[in-house]
Amino acid sequence: MSDFTTILNKDTFSRKDIIDLLNASPEDRTRLFARSAEIKTEYVGNVVYFRGLIEFSNICEKDCFYCGIRKSNRKTQRYNLTDDEVLSAARFAWENNYGSVVLQGGELESPAFTGRIEKLVKGIKALSEDKLGITLSIGEQSPDVYKRWFDAGAHRYLLRIESSNRELYYKIHPHDNTHSFENRMQALYDLRNAGYQLGTGVMIGLPFQTTGDLADDLLFMKELDIDMCGMGPYIEHADTPLWQFREQLLPLEERFDLALKMIAILRIMMKKINIASATALQAIDPIGREKALKIGANIIMPNITPGAYRNDYKLYENKPCMDEEAADCRNCLEARIHMSGNKIGFNEWGDSLHFKEKDKPA
Ligand code: 5AD
Ligand code: FES
């Protein structure tokens, strides 16, 4: 048996194994993808769940060095959807049989903001006869705030650690009180304690990042025993500080290739978690998200933000579907998902099987 086959057949991967898998030759990569696709089919099935993504505001108190909506970027036109706009986007999801929505926005912390999100969560539950699932992705908050939103009806939370390497974390964020690696890590534990299905993720292909860092990211996710993951390629944005390091980056195709390998390896390592096919994949390859669904991802987040605002939620360049209305997106997505060999789990929450089975005795 070749070394590669030996690794693929292992029960658990060491750091070195993961690095070898990330460095797989094109031929070995095909075998890695075949293995992860097989595991996906066996453990979570070929069903893709929709999370209608509502990017409700790009006003952000943080200043991450990679992100186009960072506080210091004066070139971004700031917007904040009205509550009615958020609720009608959620109604669109409900009427189109999407099982869930994601509320995503810039990071803010204030009592008024907490109250607003709480009200929106309750409003979404009310308009959908309590049936739409709700994922939140609104950054670091206090344990009390997490609890209030959970009690209001949200049940999943995504908070990307961005990089599990503390040193790298501080190369891509300012080192101050608002951007603390320790606080972000603590927030992940707070989310779990509040009762959420816990999701995290990283960016792939960052400046200064090594394949060792990426292997550590996957081991970190395993160790944290996450329920969901969203990770995708880093894409440089001209109005951000990291732009200056663009010459050092891997070519876009290589970042894309690494992102697919990360998804495939994670599917093998954590068979029953939910893995999202990140939108950033599509910014590099028009059928990038479908490729990820084929080899391991099982969640897609169609953008249902009202069309007029999409252009202003630009975390990175070349973000796809900028001028589409939500309904157009739905039609094109359905065809694409069928082409990737999956069917759509309409009207279902599609909760993480990993989470559901945690309470059961072994
Ligand atoms: N490239 C890729 N992903 C990015 N994000 C933010 N900026 C970029 C970028 N330039 C990701 C971060 C964040 C998520 C909402 O979007 O990982 O957590
Ligand atoms: Fe808004 Fe990083 S810039 S969370």
Side-chain angles (χ1 to χ4, degrees):
M1 249 194 296
S2 76
D3 286 352
F4 199 80
T5 313
T6 316
I7 298 176
L8 273 186
N9 287 330
K10 284 190 180 177
D11 283 338
T12 39
F13 295 149
S14 67
R15 183 173 191 269
K16 163 91 172 48
D17 293 336
I18 299 174
I19 294 174
D20 287 348
L21 293 172
L22 289 171
N23 288 328
S25 65
E27 196 180 291
D28 284 342
R29 182 186 58 192
T30 310
R31 292 159 61 210
L32 165 66
F33 290 168
R35 177 93 183 109
S36 59
E38 185 181 277
I39 286 178
K40 179 190 162 186
T41 310
E42 184 178 343
Y43 288 87
V44 292
N46 289 324
V47 185
V48 170
Y49 298 100
F50 278 11
R51 316 277 187 242
L53 176 63
I54 309 173
E55 296 162 333
F56 63 89
S57 167
N58 65 356
I59 302 170
C60 192
E61 272 169 4
K62 292 202 148 183
D63 229 358
C64 309
F65 293 152
Y66 45 83
C67 183
I69 66 167
R70 64 197 299 270
K71 189 179 178 179
S72 302
N73 182 10
R74 306 263 174 258
K75 291 197 189 153
T76 295
Q77 174 94 22
R78 302 289 162 172
Y79 74 87
N80 191 2
L81 296 191
T82 63
D83 289 358
D84 279 349
E85 285 171 323
V86 174
L87 293 176
S88 55
R91 195 166 294 113
F92 171 90
W94 169 238
E95 285 166 357
N96 285 279
N97 309 314
Y98 291 14
S100 305
V101 290
V102 181
L103 284 186
Q104 185 170 88
E107 285 199 35
L108 292 179
E109 272 189 272
S110 78
F113 184 70
T114 303
R116 177 182 188 213
I117 300 297
E118 184 176 42
K119 199 170 125 211
L120 286 172
V121 169
K122 288 184 177 161
I124 294 170
K125 283 290 176 191
L127 69 83
S128 66
E129 298 161 17
D130 252 14
K131 296 223 174 76
L132 267 183
I134 304 179
T135 306
L136 298 178
S137 175
I138 330 182
E140 291 161 45
Q141 306 284 340
S142 69
D144 286 350
V145 172
Y146 286 149
K147 183 84 177 64
R148 264 176 73 179
W149 293 346
F150 184 81
D151 290 342
H155 64 140
R156 297 186 281 240
Y157 206 107
L158 286 171
L159 183 75
R160 288 191 179 179
I161 189 71
E162 314 296 0
S163 167
S164 63
N165 175 336
R166 188 174 182 277
E167 246 171 70
L168 178 55
Y169 188 89
Y170 284 123
K171 288 188 178 145
I172 62 169
H173 298 97
H175 196 152
D176 60 22
N177 284 341
T178 5
H179 304 80
S180 146
F181 180 73
E182 282 70 27
N183 290 353
R184 202 159 183 88
M185 200 66 98
Q186 184 57 45
L188 290 170
Y189 290 102
D190 294 341
L191 283 165
R192 156 136 323 132
N193 286 338
Y196 291 92
Q197 289 172 51
L198 180 62
T200 193
V202 294
M203 282 177 287
I204 299 155
L206 287 162
F208 319 113
Q209 191 180 43
T210 63
T211 39
D213 291 327
L214 291 171
D216 288 334
D217 288 337
L218 294 180
L219 291 168
F220 164 78
M221 294 182 211
K222 174 99 182 156
E223 169 75 24
L224 188 61
D225 199 27
I226 57 168
D227 305 300
M228 326 182 289
C229 174
M231 58 183 168
Y234 163 68
I235 301 171
E236 61 274 34
H237 189 301
D239 303 318
T240 61
L242 286 193
W243 178 252
Q244 64 185 299
F245 302 111
R246 65 192 176 285
E247 312 278 313
Q248 307 177 11
L249 297 172
L250 291 171
L252 277 174
E253 312 78 68
E254 283 179 42
R255 277 178 257 165
F256 180 85
D257 179 66
L258 266 182
L260 282 193
K261 285 174 175 161
M262 287 284 283
I263 290 176
I265 299 167
L266 185 64
R267 173 57 73 204
I268 302 174
M269 290 170 68
M270 302 191 78
K271 299 180 169 44
K272 292 189 175 175
I273 63 168
N274 279 346
I275 303 181
S277 182
T279 314
L281 290 165
Q282 199 188 345
I284 299 183
D285 180 332
I287 54 163
R289 285 185 306 179
E290 291 70 19
K291 288 184 179 167
L293 293 173
K294 229 181 168 145
I295 58 108
N298 65 330
I299 302 288
I300 199 155
M301 298 172 29
N303 195 337
I304 56 168
T305 310
Y309 299 102
R310 295 229 194 140
N311 234 340
D312 295 320
Y313 202 87
K314 262 196 159 175
L315 308 180
Y316 44 82
E317 303 287 352
N318 202 17
K319 213 175 146 217
C321 279
M322 279 303 193
D323 334 303
E324 312 267 343
E325 277 303 327
D328 300 330
C329 272
R330 181 190 158 163
N331 294 338
C332 89
L333 259 179
E334 278 191 40
R336 286 149 165 268
I337 286 167
H338 288 298
M339 278 191 301
S340 75
N342 286 279
K343 49 181 208 229
I344 304 168
F346 280 123
N347 289 318
E348 286 179 70
W349 278 9
D351 274 339
S352 161
L353 290 179
H354 183 79
F355 181 84
K356 282 192 190 164
E357 293 180 5
K358 266 185 198 164
D359 294 336
K360 290 193 191 152

